[in-house]
Amino acid sequence: MIQGWSWEGYFHYLTNYFIFMGAVNTVLLTLAGMAGGLVLGILLAFARLSPWSWINQIARAYIWVFRGTPLLVQLIIIYTGLPQIGIRFGVIEAVVMGLVLNEAAYLAEIIRGGVQALPKGQINAAKALGFNHLNVARYVIFPQTMRLILPSLGNSFNGLLKTTSIASVISVEELLRRTQILMQEQFMVLELFMVAATYYLLLTTLWDFIQRKIERHYAKAYQSATHTSEPAQPSFKEVSSAYTRETQP
């Protein structure tokens, strides 16, 4: 038995509504940061692949800055630095903005790597058949890139789920901040930290289960008819046929 440890206190706060809602806030921040980061990351990835050097250099500079500086510093600049030049955000707005801007820099490189891993022949063939840029992305690039980058995207989501704890520094009441508030009131430091750790573990475990389901879903189209261990790439004829069926009146 650990001296000072209270199992009663641990189980009491494990089911505490105040802590539970902190975990809900953590999930919401993660979803907002990931969704916004994914949209901006896609734009940055294609900017990095742009044939126009000035667009490429802007995207490269953005990624360099946001990957090279800590998220905590970025949040403090957004929340306390920008008001000095007349730009003010609420705590939630500042945190979501910081998470989106930071996460986008990492996701952009993941997406860029996935796109560059695709066989160039498929993209060239799609253009030769008259696919516009949007349809090339939709029918050729996106389905195959998604399968390639899913594990990395899943790891990024998992990491972001825990990174949201940095939001407690500017008093956003996510899981860690609400845990700290109860510590100051109840003086159960170890028990409450263990409760927070348990919630983070449960959330990341749940996400691991969801990620595996998503990966299996995207892998179905790439399994060979004989169910061999080697994934089969879809032929361009199949992609072209699917495009033709959807675009015909």
Side-chain angles (χ1 to χ4, degrees):
M1 177 68 67
I2 302 174
Q3 186 175 4
W5 170 264
S6 170
W7 283 107
E8 182 181 355
Y10 170 77
F11 285 111
H12 171 73
Y13 288 109
L14 190 62
T15 56
N16 182 275
Y17 181 75
F18 186 71
I19 293 285
F20 174 76
M21 289 309 298
V24 171
N25 292 340
T26 289
V27 172
L28 293 177
L29 287 175
T30 304
L31 293 174
M34 194 67 184
L38 196 55
V39 172
L40 182 56
I42 291 172
L43 295 177
L44 287 169
F46 281 97
R48 286 280 284 112
L49 297 169
S50 172
W52 291 291
S53 61
W54 65 274
I55 294 179
N56 186 299
Q57 292 304 317
I58 291 173
R60 185 189 295 269
Y62 177 97
I63 293 169
W64 172 65
V65 170
F66 280 91
R67 291 181 69 190
T69 55
L71 174 59
L72 178 58
V73 173
Q74 296 166 16
L75 283 180
I76 292 173
I77 290 173
I78 293 171
Y79 185 62
T80 64
L82 293 183
Q84 314 237 348
I85 58 174
I87 304 175
R88 298 181 182 278
F89 297 102
V91 288
I92 299 297
E93 295 170 335
V95 167
V96 171
M97 181 178 297
L99 292 175
V100 168
L101 294 177
N102 182 270
E103 193 66 20
Y106 291 91
L107 295 179
E109 291 298 272
I110 292 173
I111 295 166
R112 181 176 68 88
V115 172
Q116 290 183 321
L118 294 179
K120 300 298 181 185
Q122 293 195 19
I123 297 174
N124 293 334
K127 292 179 179 179
L129 287 176
F131 283 38
N132 59 32
H133 291 296
L134 181 61
N135 285 324
V136 169
R138 178 182 177 187
Y139 292 101
V140 180
I141 296 176
F142 176 76
Q144 297 182 72
T145 301
M146 195 65 181
R147 182 180 66 91
L148 293 173
I149 67 175
L150 262 177
S152 297
L153 288 181
N155 289 338
S156 292
F157 188 91
N158 188 305
L160 184 60
L161 190 62
K162 293 170 284 187
T163 302
T164 54
S165 60
I166 293 177
S168 63
V169 174
I170 58 174
S171 302
V172 174
E173 290 194 8
E174 43 70 65
L175 177 57
L176 183 60
R177 177 60 181 167
R178 291 202 168 196
T179 301
Q180 292 170 334
I181 291 172
L182 287 177
M183 284 178 191
Q184 294 169 3
E185 295 175 356
Q186 305 299 327
F187 304 105
M188 288 188 174
V189 176
L190 183 57
E191 291 86 349
L192 284 164
F193 266 134
M194 288 300 295
V195 167
T198 301
Y199 268 105
Y200 280 118
L201 185 60
L202 288 173
L203 291 174
T204 54
T205 302
L206 176 61
W207 169 247
D208 182 65
F209 173 77
I210 295 172
Q211 180 183 343
R212 291 176 185 275
K213 294 280 286 184
I214 296 173
E215 288 180 5
R216 283 197 294 269
H217 170 75
Y218 275 95
K220 285 179 182 177
Y222 297 90
Q223 300 300 320
S224 63
T226 57
H227 302 286
T228 61
S229 58
E230 291 294 326
Q233 291 289 344
S235 68
F236 187 76
K237 181 179 179 181
E238 294 171 337
V239 175
S240 178
S241 298
Y243 167 73
T244 303
R245 286 195 300 271
E246 289 196 23
T247 54
Q248 283 181 342

